[in-house]
Amino acid sequence: MAKNLGTLRNSTVKGMPRVYSVVQECTASNFGEISVFVANPAVASNNELLSGARILLTGASKGIGEQMAYHYARFGGELVITARNKTLLKQVEEKCLQLGAKKVYSVSADMSDPKSADRVVKFALEKLGSLGYLVLNHIGNDPFEMWNGDAEQTRWLMQVNFLSYVQLTAAALPTLLKTNGSIIVISSLCGKIAVPYVASYSASKFALEGFFNSLRYELTMQKKNVSITLCILGLIDTESAMEKIRARGLTKLSPYPASETALNIIRGGTVRSQEIYCPWWTEVIVRTRDWFTAVKNKLIASSTPVT
């Protein structure tokens, strides 16, 4: 039997429709301080929320994407997974089938190529017939260091981390409109708050925030029932993230488990939350980011650059 998405409790909030709270360590916020997951009561059965769901998942060969693929498989989803590394993708595909996925197909693609998005979505529609979920998780590698003036690297990263997300959305949106589907966008705390050493990465994540929040408003104005969930992540214990942290000697930072992060992303997307934060303290940082600005600026100015 598939692992439950969480404890769903029927509840009522003044001025809002019936909602289902999800008991979890991370938070999902749709209405300021009220942390809730809005769900359709007709689809609130824990074990059936994702059974047979048709999902296109990017960046699925390792890290959070790999863990999401395994969770979706346990829930009985039908998957198309994509990433650059064909060998690793095949390994994930085989494990997903072992875990209970009804269908799994993999297609290798490099999202720095603007033509890849259309090709991947076309492949997914040929294999699955339609899509209920577009999960945008892939990311380009960017060194954890001060920006060195390499505008071409920034342009490349914007293509991988931002423009390809837009291109995939454009290609998948017609079918998502027909299925009243969902778009799940993996973003970062660096897309909410600017910090040193990640200028290009931060720019790409800020762009995701602006584009997908605006698109959500536009879909709402048009009475289109496609949800967009932005996932604001802090430090997660993926191999690539931990390598960068260790290289800078930042060994005292405590990462959040990738598998738990993946499960919380799926929970939030399934019940059509507008935002989720993981770990929970990332929301605290975002809510208080404009406090003590002068102190923050002074601390940064007095810091010794890490080389």
Side-chain angles (χ1 to χ4, degrees):
M1 180 178 291
K3 183 179 180 181
N4 288 349
L5 287 175
T7 303
L8 298 181
R9 295 192 309 229
N10 193 0
S11 60
T12 303
V13 179
K14 185 178 180 180
M16 293 172 56
R18 293 175 68 195
V19 300
Y20 290 87
S21 292
V22 175
V23 180
Q24 56 176 45
E25 293 183 30
C26 299
T27 67
S29 300
N30 282 338
F31 299 89
E33 297 303 316
I34 303 173
S35 292
V36 296
F37 285 128
V38 178
N40 183 339
V43 293
S45 174
N46 286 17
N47 296 327
E48 296 179 359
L49 283 169
L50 289 168
S51 180
R54 296 171 180 178
I55 304 150
L56 171 55
L57 169 62
T58 72
S61 63
K62 58 184 179 181
I64 297 169
E66 179 184 1
Q67 296 304 314
M68 280 195 286
Y70 297 152
H71 285 306
Y72 277 127
R74 292 185 184 100
F75 297 138
E78 298 180 10
L79 283 162
V80 168
I81 56 175
T82 183
R84 288 187 295 263
N85 192 311
K86 188 174 182 178
T87 301
L88 291 180
L89 268 181
K90 281 295 182 183
Q91 293 174 3
V92 174
E93 178 183 343
E94 291 171 2
K95 186 169 180 179
C96 284
L97 289 171
Q98 295 170 6
L99 291 171
K102 293 185 177 180
K103 296 178 183 178
V104 187
Y105 305 96
S106 62
V107 54
S108 61
D110 183 350
M111 291 302 170
S112 67
D113 181 355
K115 296 179 181 178
S116 291
D118 283 339
R119 180 171 64 85
V120 167
V121 172
K122 182 179 179 181
F123 176 88
L125 293 177
E126 287 174 350
K127 296 298 183 181
L128 302 180
S130 66
L131 287 173
Y133 292 90
L134 173 63
V135 187
L136 302 172
N137 170 72
H138 61 277
I139 193 172
N141 184 48
D142 191 48
F144 187 63
E145 63 186 22
M146 288 191 172
W147 189 62
N148 60 8
D150 188 349
E152 179 57 27
Q153 167 66 12
T154 301
R155 184 210 64 76
W156 176 86
L157 199 67
M158 289 296 288
Q159 167 58 40
V160 175
N161 288 7
F162 170 59
L163 290 176
S164 67
Y165 280 47
V166 176
Q167 291 155 354
L168 285 159
T169 299
L173 192 55
T175 189
L176 292 172
L177 289 169
K178 293 177 182 177
T179 62
N180 294 329
S182 299
I183 302 170
I184 301 173
V185 182
I186 312 306
S187 188
S188 167
L189 186 60
C190 294
K192 293 282 193 180
I193 302 173
V195 295
Y197 307 115
V198 290
S200 298
Y201 174 82
S202 186
S204 68
K205 294 300 183 179
F206 267 90
L208 289 178
E209 288 281 324
F211 178 82
F212 282 101
N213 279 319
S214 293
L215 179 59
R216 185 191 297 114
Y217 286 134
E218 293 176 5
L219 291 169
T220 300
M221 292 167 67
Q222 298 173 74
K223 306 297 188 292
K224 304 297 186 182
N225 192 22
V226 173
S227 69
I228 296 177
T229 299
L230 279 160
C231 306
I232 317 305
L233 306 185
L235 178 60
I236 311 300
D237 67 352
T238 62
E239 182 179 345
S240 59
M242 297 313 298
E243 283 180 358
K244 292 178 181 180
I245 292 300
R246 286 192 291 267
R248 293 298 177 186
L250 304 175
T251 55
K252 293 184 179 181
L253 296 177
S254 298
Y256 197 75
S259 181
E260 287 299 313
T261 301
L263 186 57
N264 281 302
I265 290 169
I266 292 171
R267 287 168 173 162
T270 302
V271 294
R272 304 170 78 88
S273 176
Q274 290 185 11
E275 282 189 333
I276 72 161
Y277 290 82
C278 198
W280 64 268
W281 51 258
T282 55
E283 183 172 16
V284 176
I285 292 174
V286 170
R287 302 300 181 199
T288 60
R289 62 184 166 185
D290 294 326
W291 299 6
F292 315 114
T293 302
V295 175
K296 179 185 69 175
N297 291 341
K298 186 174 181 179
L299 286 172
I300 291 175
S302 62
S303 299
T304 303
V306 177
T307 57

